[in-house]
Amino acid sequence: MTSSRNRLRVRCRGAVQGVGFRPTVHRIATELGLVGEVRNDPNGATAEVEGPPATTARFVERLETELPPLARLDEITVEEIEPRGDRTFRVSETEQGRRSGAMVPADAALCDDCRREMRDPEDRRYRYPFTTCTNCGPRFSLTRSLPYDRVATAMTCFPLCAACDGEYTDPCDRRFHAEPVCCPDCGPKLWIQDADEGNRVEGRAAIEAAQADLVAGRILAIKGLGGFQLACRADDDAAVKLLRQRKRRSGKPFAVMVRDLETAARIVSLAPDDAKLLRSSRAPVILAPRVSSDLVCDDIAPGLDDLGVMLPTTPLHVELFSDDRVPALIMTSANLSEEPICRSNREAIDRLEGIADRFLLHDRDVIRRVDDSVVRSTAMGPILVRRARGWVPDPVSLPVEAPEPLLAVGGHLLVTSCIAVGGQAFMTQHVGDLDTVSARAFQREVIDGLEDFLEVRPKNLLADAHPDYPSAWLAAELSEQRGGSLLEVQHHLAHAAAVLGEHDRFPEGESRAFAITLDGTGWGPDGTAWGGEWLSLTGTLEWRRLAHLEPIALVGGERAVREPWRVAVAALAAAGAGDLVAELPFAAMVDSEQLVQVQHLAASPHWPRASGAGRLFEAAGAVFGLVIRNDWEGEAAARLEALAASVSEDAQPWDEVTIVTDSPRPILPSSALLASAARRLISGDDPALVASGFHATFNRLVVEVTRRVVEIHDAPVALAGGCMVNRLLLTGLDKGLAAHGFDVLAARKLPPGDGGLAYGQAVLGAVSLARNVKPKMLI
């Protein structure tokens, strides 16, 4: 009897909890006439199926191809065990134990099935702003602890009604064990009010009141998935200016949420991959080239070619757009600039009074703050700029398994942290810049939360080598508290490791990999600020600096980072072109005495010097008169890129700028490149053509330097650092290097800038522990 039947134990690892995996297993097994069980366990989920051998084999084949929308199989192992003679197939209780892989899913945008129910007047969830199912809705932001059960989420205080309980307990229903499931009878309630709790309106009337407020030009604070957002009409100049004034955000661009994909196409140019990603469960903000439209005012993204656009991510957002008078809304994080997003009703009212006119609230708690993710459209496909909602806490594979848990704390700007366990790296959500006490507290908050989820307290800490980063102070403090070790990692080496690691191309033994790392600033071992680097790295963590950009004096120190005209003046003076300053557009925008003073001081050897590509492109933005003071990180460079992108034809690189070779390492001549641009502007050349030529010449010089210092053409060359979000740089370098036979890698799963830095630190930490080596710079 048993020879005609077998029983398979199928262990599944990946995103298999809270995503409808068990109902899918139940459906496939029952359709095939198999018996057995499926259960969640500390590592993921395990199914046992019993029946004819050909049928159990068919079950495994179908399972791998019929996953529910949010599920992901990282590993599946199958073993044959003794048949038990079960009579049915059942969904069993969760197996308890120490977790080593199971994780709560990322938050997911509203699915099409739930959207259809919300539009159906006969459905009991008609227009209900908390409609959800196994395939969509809050997960990570809703969960207090694991295992992922309703009692461990913010839904524990909302007992299920009989109808919802029927769905929740039916393995054939798409709401089976969907922990956020609810309806108007048993779920969260919505209302709108003033800051003093006056003018309170509840239920569907709250939506109508909110729509009327938006149409009238008011600013609303809206409680979303991972915290509060501020919203106003995107086509209302007065409302947008008022939001900027109240939020203290003078020029930084806002994101726009639009009703649907058709509306998005009216304000930005979307590639097919962009449209697909917008409509996906991740539903990020996509930065895409803007199209002239009366749906958005110019002040949303002043001076930029791109506009950030997103679709409604929650049922509440969908309801707001049910009014035809509201096709597009600014939707931005509810905070003062550089502070964490507001999470609770009380916190929002206390912190946002004076910014928001009214508050659209509900009584479901946000447990974990999570900002919107941001990606940028490029010819190479979308690249991540900020990794948060929709991605976190999904892990990224490590190229080498970490023998012990690791905690990497990132840098200072665009901070995330990372915990490595075994072969996986778990990134925290985006924290932001660590300039404020509240931001530093938020970093501790996200680290504590991730450690709780993973049930680890790593003793192996990794931090940036910069001695003045608060993240490094935190790592030192935790290392001492836990009696562990602290490995300080050079900033650009971590950037290189991040790209090599995500592509599983980290070198082994004495083999080498190469990287071009272009960003603003990172602490260099020689005491200068690096940021335009060619590095080589072996599998034993020996690394070299092969070439770099020309260092430029930062006259005024940190002030020169905020005021890029200072870098421009110093660079032109270094190029022997100081006489050009008075003829350039920015000379009329800066006090003449300051100009003379900075020119005079630039020759002093006592100023810090920076080889950062970010500093170079910001200085160029100042030379063009686009920005003399950055209102936000990278503004001058972003405006320069926008000006260059306005040229329809490809610019030709300038031949007169050549690599400096009479030095220990090849140097890309930043000052000569700026001087060449300045002379063209003064000669009356079209600024857009000059900006395009500046980018093209920089790309040509990078390729030429690479050809000089990278002699192994079958070794990978990683493009890393925050400058790689610049379309013209990324695509130009990829094309130029590939034309010469280089094996080019670019960031795909993580941001190329500091948002992916902690992963690179974790990669180096895992390699260090696994191979018993430490990073060593060779001269």
Side-chain angles (χ1 to χ4, degrees):
M1 176 179 176
T2 55
S3 61
S4 63
R5 297 173 65 83
N6 73 344
R7 188 178 182 97
L8 300 182
R9 178 176 289 151
V10 185
R11 299 185 185 276
C12 303
R13 307 293 175 261
V16 293
Q17 293 190 14
V19 293
F21 184 76
R22 289 178 299 168
T24 297
V25 169
H26 183 277
R27 174 182 58 79
I28 296 173
T30 53
E31 286 177 359
L32 293 173
L34 298 173
V35 298
E37 65 173 333
V38 61
R39 62 184 178 276
N40 285 338
D41 62 44
N43 302 303
T46 298
E48 293 185 9
V49 290
E50 186 173 327
T55 309
T56 56
R58 177 63 180 147
F59 167 85
V60 177
E61 293 173 2
R62 287 186 58 181
L63 181 61
E64 295 186 75
T65 59
E66 297 181 25
L67 293 174
L70 302 183
R72 186 191 70 253
L73 268 182
D74 296 332
E75 179 184 352
I76 183 168
T77 59
V78 181
E79 62 175 318
E80 188 168 347
I81 59 177
E82 283 295 316
R84 295 181 182 173
D86 294 339
R87 295 181 178 276
T88 61
F89 192 90
R90 65 187 182 279
V91 178
S92 300
E93 293 293 320
T94 297
E95 177 185 330
Q96 301 299 318
R98 184 174 180 81
R99 293 188 300 278
S100 60
M103 194 50 149
V104 64
D107 296 323
L110 185 70
C111 71
D112 290 340
D113 288 332
C114 285
R115 191 183 293 260
R116 278 191 292 270
E117 290 173 345
M118 289 180 64
R119 290 198 298 258
D120 183 359
E122 303 301 317
D123 194 280
R124 65 194 188 91
R125 292 186 176 89
Y126 175 60
R127 298 192 62 186
Y128 181 54
F130 304 98
T131 300
T132 183
C133 74
T134 305
N135 299 326
C136 67
R139 298 292 192 275
F140 177 72
S141 62
L142 185 85
T143 305
R144 289 190 172 87
S145 61
L146 294 177
Y148 178 61
D149 293 316
R150 192 176 179 93
V151 293
T153 73
M155 297 303 294
T156 188
C157 56
F158 298 100
L160 292 169
C161 66
C164 286
D165 186 62
E167 297 169 328
Y168 183 84
T169 55
D170 181 359
C172 297
D173 195 286
R174 82 172 198 280
R175 292 192 168 93
F176 175 71
H177 276 263
E179 308 306 346
V181 67
C182 58
C183 73
D185 293 334
C186 64
K189 308 300 181 187
L190 182 74
W191 70 93
I192 191 170
Q193 64 172 60
D194 297 336
D196 61 3
E197 300 188 16
N199 296 315
R200 176 167 171 144
V201 180
E202 300 180 356
R204 290 183 186 173
I207 294 288
E208 295 167 359
Q211 291 168 332
D213 284 334
L214 291 167
V215 170
R218 297 187 181 93
I219 298 168
L220 295 188
I222 299 170
K223 193 174 186 179
L225 266 183
F228 278 77
Q229 296 165 308
L230 291 168
C232 71
R233 277 178 52 178
D235 62 346
D236 189 326
D237 284 287
V240 174
K241 285 182 170 60
L242 185 60
L243 178 58
R244 287 201 176 281
Q245 177 185 338
R246 291 179 178 179
K247 192 173 161 67
R248 303 177 197 168
R249 184 168 171 159
S250 57
K252 193 173 183 179
F254 288 124
V256 176
M257 181 179 283
V258 296
R259 178 185 293 116
D260 49 34
L261 197 60
E262 290 71 27
T263 307
R266 291 176 57 189
I267 63 174
V268 292
S269 177
L270 293 171
D273 284 348
D274 303 331
K276 182 178 179 181
L277 190 54
L278 269 180
R279 287 183 50 82
S280 73
S281 62
R282 298 191 191 275
V285 175
I286 290 198
L287 301 173
R290 66 191 303 169
V291 174
S292 179
S293 171
D294 59 1
L295 295 180
V296 293
C297 63
D298 292 337
D299 198 38
I300 287 177
L304 299 181
D305 180 55
D306 272 11
L307 192 64
V309 63
M310 63 192 301
L311 297 181
T313 54
T314 71
L316 179 55
H317 291 132
V318 169
E319 279 300 291
L320 286 175
F321 283 98
S322 63
D323 189 325
D324 290 340
R325 297 174 298 172
V326 187
L329 295 171
I330 282 182
M331 198 66 68
T332 187
S333 301
N335 53 5
L336 288 172
S337 291
E338 309 310 327
E339 289 187 355
I341 189 173
C342 292
R343 181 175 62 182
S344 71
N345 292 352
R346 187 71 265 164
E347 178 189 12
I349 291 170
D350 289 344
R351 287 174 54 191
L352 302 178
E353 185 178 9
I355 300 179
D357 295 309
R358 303 198 76 195
F359 295 79
L360 188 59
L361 307 173
H362 57 76
D363 54 356
R364 185 182 70 196
D365 291 339
V366 174
I367 305 301
R368 302 183 188 279
R369 309 171 207 262
V370 190
D371 266 307
D372 294 317
S373 291
V374 180
V375 305
R376 194 173 194 200
S377 171
T378 77
M380 298 167 60
I383 59 169
L384 276 163
V385 177
R386 184 168 76 193
R387 188 178 188 269
R389 176 188 53 75
W391 271 267
V392 174
D394 291 351
V396 180
S397 295
L398 290 165
V400 175
E401 284 206 11
E404 302 172 25
L406 301 165
L407 170 59
V409 297
H412 182 72
L413 302 177
L414 305 173
V415 167
T416 61
S417 296
C418 176
I419 296 177
V421 179
Q424 293 185 313
F426 296 87
M427 302 291 293
T428 69
Q429 62 268 46
H430 169 81
V431 172
D433 302 348
L434 300 183
D435 292 323
T436 65
V437 173
S438 57
R440 297 169 196 173
F442 184 30
Q443 184 181 29
R444 283 180 175 263
E445 177 184 310
V446 299
I447 289 173
D448 288 344
L450 193 54
E451 288 183 336
D452 287 344
F453 270 169
L454 294 169
E455 292 185 337
V456 294
R457 290 289 185 273
K459 293 184 177 181
N460 300 285
L461 280 294
L462 296 107
D464 195 278
H466 196 300
D468 294 329
Y469 280 180
S471 58
W473 305 340
L474 173 61
E477 177 187 330
L478 292 176
S479 174
E480 183 176 354
Q481 288 175 357
R482 297 174 182 184
S485 64
L486 173 60
L487 180 62
E488 295 178 340
V489 177
Q490 201 281 326
H491 190 87
H492 302 96
L493 184 64
H495 275 316
V499 176
L500 294 169
E502 74 155 83
H503 287 276
D504 197 18
R505 296 292 301 279
F506 201 90
E508 297 182 5
E510 297 300 322
S511 64
R512 285 194 288 170
F514 299 86
I516 303 167
T517 58
L518 306 176
D519 66 359
T521 301
W523 182 261
D526 59 358
T528 65
W530 290 12
E533 312 302 321
W534 282 256
L535 306 178
S536 70
L537 172 66
T538 71
T540 58
L541 299 189
E542 292 182 339
W543 64 283
R544 296 177 187 271
R545 189 189 198 194
L546 304 175
H548 55 84
L549 267 64
E550 173 190 356
I552 300 175
L554 299 180
V555 181
E558 282 296 317
R559 192 172 178 184
V561 176
R562 297 188 298 272
E563 300 176 7
W565 68 267
R566 293 172 172 269
V567 182
V569 169
L572 293 173
D579 58 312
L580 301 179
V581 170
E583 301 180 65
L584 289 167
F586 74 88
M589 305 162 70
V590 179
D591 179 77
S592 59
E593 290 186 10
Q594 280 193 302
L595 279 176
V596 173
Q597 185 181 39
V598 170
Q599 278 185 289
H600 176 71
L601 292 172
S604 170
H606 302 298
W607 293 111
R609 307 182 77 78
S611 60
R615 300 288 83 83
L616 169 62
F617 278 80
E618 289 180 348
V623 165
F624 281 73
L626 301 173
V627 173
I628 60 166
R629 180 183 176 86
N630 282 326
D631 284 328
W632 44 278
E633 175 75 16
E635 179 185 8
R639 289 194 178 216
L640 180 71
E641 182 194 354
L643 180 64
S646 67
V647 177
S648 56
E649 67 271 18
D650 291 335
Q652 294 301 309
W654 309 327
D655 294 332
E656 73 270 17
V657 186
T658 58
I659 299 164
V660 177
T661 56
D662 57 347
S663 61
R665 304 181 186 91
I667 295 175
L668 191 153
S670 301
S671 58
L673 181 57
L674 280 173
S676 188
R679 292 188 182 98
R680 282 173 163 76
L681 289 172
I682 292 170
S683 297
D685 288 7
D686 180 355
L689 286 173
V690 179
S692 182
F694 184 90
H695 280 78
T697 306
F698 181 84
N699 286 343
R700 172 183 66 80
L701 292 169
V702 171
V703 172
E704 288 183 11
V705 171
T706 307
R707 293 180 67 191
R708 287 176 179 266
V709 300
V710 178
E711 70 279 11
I712 308 172
H713 276 246
D714 60 349
V717 177
L719 300 180
C723 291
M724 294 305 172
V725 301
N726 180 316
R727 272 195 209 98
L728 301 179
L729 290 187
L730 178 64
T731 57
L733 291 177
D734 179 69
K735 181 179 179 181
L737 291 167
H740 289 282
F742 290 105
D743 182 8
V744 184
L745 306 178
R748 285 290 178 268
K749 300 175 184 176
L750 295 159
D754 285 4
L757 189 71
Y759 172 75
Q761 293 170 347
V763 168
L764 292 168
V767 172
S768 177
L769 284 178
R771 299 177 183 173
N772 195 28
V773 293
K774 291 191 182 302
K776 179 181 179 182
M777 182 181 178
L778 303 179
I779 303 301

